[in-house]
Amino acid sequence: MVFQPLVNRRTGLFEGTMSPNYLRSLPRTPPENGETEKDALFVQSIARAMDVLSIFHQIDRPLSLQEISSLTGLGRSNVQRIVFTLRSLGYITRDPDDRGYVPGLRLLDHSLDFLRLNPVVVKATPILLELRRAVRERVDLSIWDDLRLVYASRLQSKREILTSTFIGYSVPVFCVSGGWAILSQLGEDEADSILTRSRRKAVTPKTLTDLGALKEKIRETREAGYATALEQVLPGEIAIGAAILDQAQRPVAAIHVAGSLSEWTPEDFTRQFAPLLVQAARTISRG
Amino acid sequence: MVFQPLVNRRTGLFEGTMSPNYLRSLPRTPPENGETEKDALFVQSIARAMDVLSIFHQIDRPLSLQEISSLTGLGRSNVQRIVFTLRSLGYITRDPDDRGYVPGLRLLDHSLDFLRLNPVVVKATPILLELRRAVRERVDLSIWDDLRLVYASRLQSKREILTSTFIGYSVPVFCVSGGWAILSQLGEDEADSILTRSRRKAVTPKTLTDLGALKEKIRETREAGYATALEQVLPGEIAIGAAILDQAQRPVAAIHVAGSLSEWTPEDFTRQFAPLLVQAARTISRG
DNA sequence: AATCGGAGTATCGCTATGCGATACAGTCGT
DNA sequence: ACGACTGTATCGCATAGCGATACTCCGATT
């Protein structure tokens, strides 16, 4: 079940309440065994509807009502009503080939709202376009979300693959250059927490997974002001990343420049682009 | 209130039901005055939650609970609970400067699902990348949604503006090249219906709004196999568009190539790029 | 400092609302 | 002709969500 405590990532403080009114009637288990009942408490129609939509995160094909039902654990009737409603609203549609339900176009309207209203994205986009013009390689903006980085803006180079054009795509913080740049701006405890909580699974043979090696990498990054990642998530790819900070000097996002090792040596790549990258990151961070 | 009848855009047939179970107890007003009570029927928690999220479509700043309440017409308490839930789930967050609520990062996860699972997007993206390589100008994919086209994939050229990098952004069908290409593939009645239902407001001084002129334009487009739009939505911009068809030969999307009139004459632009555009559109339509 | 309006949060009773069970209706494949 | 799938419809029950109300902060205005 998807439930996140309302922690303000900037301040690190807890926000909001744990006990909305509709929880009152429940058997109010003592606060000690905090985990389990929070989840149980939070079963309500909005969350259920969003669970239905979220089921597609794990799946890459159209789904039938039955499948949604078993995947979400919701009853068949219930799923039918929820899907009906979401369909009426345009958040779910039938697959064009009529093989089941898929997420609907209207979801894009909401992602646009996010992008339009996110100050980092708005601030960064023109600067990234300029950076792109200068480097002529792929340039990305990704937003930090605990253990992952979510791509919010992508400016492609000539030669690209499918997933590298999609926004919303997310990668683990621990194994990308932007992630290292962010970790290098955090306190040691916080960075450690993220590293240890991450499921450090190698994506390519070169992916760093060893805690010590990662900490060393982060130390280097902190000194250099940017991170260099070689084939960490994609074979043959070199990426450099720098962190975007908010007014409180906390990292909130990262920008990347990524290129191909068949065209660049790591040294040339960083020598050429790192200064521009760091400069762009500074500008976005509004000094 | 956002409620769309479940019409399959491909077949044009009505799908689904008008009367989910929870409507039964209502005073069942006679079907004559169809409009109003459909709305009234559809008040339920999912729709309410989505209304809250949708409020941001009209707004370009963080909102307070009160504002959301008055804009949605939902009660203050209700809005507080809905926002609380959506916040717990990550679909709404506080503005970084703490001036109100804004759409949350998690919305991007869903737009990714849409993109990943949409066969047109998946089919088109590699072909668009190739097209982009050949033309070195902006290339877009937009998906048809009744009166509008929604950008689903955008490959920028050197010189771009902010909105032209955002996916989810939508433009009216009646005044863009891709829209004309789509209209040219529809039956006369259907195209007329779209034109007349559109709020044909000029975006630039050059925007065509006259029904006759538009029909003529569509006729030209049908013959040429692609559409040319000069400064229709952006001063100084030339765009050519072609329709993507599904297996039933119905248009479902469009692709654009767009460039600057300061660099191209319309003749050169179309001569150079139209064949490539049309070829790409054919390939995507899986002929 | 006293008052105000506007932020967000909490409580509680009522009943409309959403759930599950069940049954129905098409459409495949064998 | 059958069973195993799709998706849809109906209805009783009680729980989940609503509105009204009251509360706590905070900063602006007087």
Side-chain angles (χ1 to χ4, degrees):
Chain A
M1 174 69 58
V2 274
F3 180 89
Q4 308 166 348
L6 296 178
V7 175
N8 184 323
R9 202 167 322 283
R10 186 161 59 86
T11 60
L13 296 175
F14 179 78
E15 286 183 357
T17 168
M18 264 358 292
S19 53
N21 67 342
Y22 38 79
L23 307 185
R24 110 195 78 104
S25 56
L26 287 158
R28 263 260 168 249
T29 38
E32 282 84 353
N33 50 350
E35 282 310 301
T36 42
E37 92 271 15
K38 254 183 234 163
D39 290 3
L41 293 181
F42 215 68
V43 178
Q44 64 177 154
S45 66
I46 295 176
R48 281 185 287 259
M50 289 333 236
D51 273 359
V52 167
L53 281 176
S54 301
I55 246 9
F56 291 103
H57 295 168
Q58 321 160 18
I59 295 289
D60 55 353
R61 64 190 157 83
L63 292 177
S64 72
L65 291 178
Q66 325 257 22
E67 291 174 305
I68 296 172
S69 169
S70 61
L71 286 166
T72 56
L74 300 172
R76 309 155 52 71
S77 313
N78 198 0
V79 165
Q80 134 84 344
R81 284 189 302 272
I82 292 171
V83 169
F84 171 84
T85 303
L86 291 173
R87 214 146 80 94
S88 308
L89 300 172
Y91 297 105
I92 284 183
T93 35
R94 293 239 93 208
D95 178 67
D97 302 330
D98 207 47
R99 286 173 299 138
Y101 298 103
V102 290
L105 179 61
R106 206 142 136 50
L107 293 165
L108 290 193
D109 294 337
H110 292 286
S111 69
L112 176 63
D113 287 342
F114 171 81
L115 296 171
R116 279 171 45 231
L117 288 170
N118 186 292
V120 173
V121 173
V122 172
K123 187 93 193 293
T125 304
I127 294 161
L128 289 182
L129 284 164
E130 200 182 325
L131 179 61
R132 169 70 223 294
R133 226 167 289 147
V135 305
R136 321 195 110 267
E137 295 288 341
R138 198 181 86 218
V139 170
D140 303 308
L141 169 70
S142 50
I143 297 188
W144 179 37
D145 181 37
D146 197 27
L147 302 184
R148 60 181 196 149
L149 277 174
V150 183
Y151 286 102
S153 187
R154 319 207 68 171
L155 309 180
Q156 309 79 9
S157 68
K158 332 110 216 190
R159 141 174 347 137
E160 290 295 353
I161 59 161
L162 187 64
T163 54
S164 72
T165 71
F166 286 162
I167 72 156
Y169 192 76
S170 63
V171 290
V173 164
F174 83 89
C175 69
V176 291
S177 58
W180 294 339
I182 284 172
L183 291 170
S184 76
Q185 296 291 327
L186 297 174
E188 185 127 15
D189 293 350
E190 203 172 354
D192 279 5
S193 153
I194 288 168
L195 289 177
T196 49
R197 276 156 53 224
S198 293
R199 244 183 88 256
R200 296 192 304 284
K201 217 188 134 190
V203 185
T204 72
K206 298 281 186 75
T207 308
L208 288 184
T209 57
D210 178 63
L211 214 62
L214 285 167
K215 286 193 191 181
E216 174 55 26
K217 195 79 196 170
I218 291 168
R219 215 168 298 127
E220 287 171 22
T221 301
R222 191 176 298 121
E223 277 182 25
Y226 67 91
T228 310
L230 296 172
E231 313 193 71
Q232 289 293 298
V233 289
L234 220 60
E237 191 190 61
I238 177 171
I240 56 177
I244 310 288
L245 310 176
D246 66 7
Q247 299 92 315
Q249 302 302 306
R250 260 186 80 79
V252 291
I255 60 176
H256 292 148
V257 174
S260 166
L261 284 172
S262 63
E263 298 176 16
W264 298 92
T265 67
E267 294 72 29
D268 286 346
F269 194 83
T270 52
R271 195 177 312 127
Q272 282 255 1
F273 299 140
L276 293 166
L277 175 82
V278 170
Q279 183 52 46
R282 274 219 192 93
T283 312
I284 298 167
S285 303
R286 58 176 111 166
Chain B
M1 175 68 60
V2 275
F3 179 88
Q4 307 167 348
L6 296 178
V7 175
N8 183 324
R9 204 170 319 284
R10 186 162 60 87
T11 61
L13 297 175
F14 179 78
E15 286 183 357
T17 169
M18 272 341 308
S19 53
N21 66 342
Y22 37 81
L23 308 183
R24 111 196 77 105
S25 56
L26 286 159
R28 262 261 167 247
T29 37
E32 282 84 357
N33 49 352
E35 281 310 300
T36 42
E37 93 271 13
K38 253 184 237 163
D39 292 3
L41 293 181
F42 216 70
V43 178
Q44 63 177 156
S45 66
I46 295 175
R48 284 185 284 258
M50 289 334 234
D51 273 359
V52 167
L53 280 176
S54 300
I55 241 21
F56 291 103
H57 295 168
Q58 322 159 17
I59 295 289
D60 54 354
R61 64 191 157 80
L63 293 176
S64 72
L65 291 179
Q66 326 256 19
E67 291 175 303
I68 296 172
S69 170
S70 61
L71 286 166
T72 55
L74 300 173
R76 310 159 44 70
S77 312
N78 198 0
V79 166
Q80 134 84 345
R81 284 188 302 272
I82 292 172
V83 168
F84 171 83
T85 303
L86 290 173
R87 214 146 78 95
S88 307
L89 299 172
Y91 296 105
I92 284 183
T93 34
R94 293 238 93 206
D95 178 68
D97 303 330
D98 207 47
R99 286 172 299 139
Y101 298 103
V102 290
L105 178 61
R106 207 141 137 47
L107 293 165
L108 289 193
D109 293 336
H110 293 287
S111 68
L112 176 63
D113 287 342
F114 171 80
L115 297 170
R116 278 172 44 230
L117 288 170
N118 187 292
V120 174
V121 173
V122 171
K123 187 92 193 294
T125 304
I127 294 160
L128 290 182
L129 285 163
E130 201 182 323
L131 178 62
R132 170 70 224 294
R133 227 167 287 148
V135 304
R136 319 195 112 265
E137 296 288 340
R138 199 181 86 219
V139 170
D140 303 308
L141 169 70
S142 50
I143 297 189
W144 179 36
D145 182 36
D146 197 27
L147 302 183
R148 59 180 196 151
L149 279 174
V150 183
Y151 287 103
S153 187
R154 320 207 67 171
L155 310 180
Q156 309 79 9
S157 68
K158 332 107 216 190
R159 145 174 343 138
E160 291 294 353
I161 60 161
L162 186 64
T163 53
S164 73
T165 71
F166 286 163
I167 73 155
Y169 192 76
S170 64
V171 290
V173 164
F174 84 90
C175 70
V176 292
S177 59
W180 295 338
I182 284 172
L183 292 170
S184 76
Q185 298 290 326
L186 295 175
E188 186 128 13
D189 294 351
E190 203 171 356
D192 280 5
S193 153
I194 287 168
L195 289 178
T196 50
R197 276 155 54 225
S198 291
R199 244 181 88 254
R200 298 193 303 285
K201 218 187 133 194
V203 186
T204 73
K206 299 278 186 78
T207 308
L208 288 184
T209 58
D210 177 64
L211 213 62
L214 285 167
K215 286 194 190 179
E216 173 56 25
K217 194 77 196 170
I218 290 167
R219 215 169 298 126
E220 287 170 22
T221 301
R222 191 174 300 121
E223 277 182 24
Y226 67 92
T228 311
L230 296 173
E231 312 193 74
Q232 290 292 299
V233 290
L234 220 60
E237 190 190 61
I238 176 170
I240 56 177
I244 310 289
L245 310 177
D246 65 8
Q247 300 92 316
Q249 303 302 307
R250 260 186 78 79
V252 292
I255 60 175
H256 293 149
V257 174
S260 166
L261 285 172
S262 64
E263 298 176 15
W264 298 93
T265 67
E267 293 72 30
D268 285 347
F269 194 84
T270 53
R271 195 176 313 127
Q272 282 255 4
F273 300 141
L276 293 166
L277 176 81
V278 170
Q279 183 50 47
R282 274 219 193 93
T283 312
I284 297 167
S285 303
R286 55 175 116 164

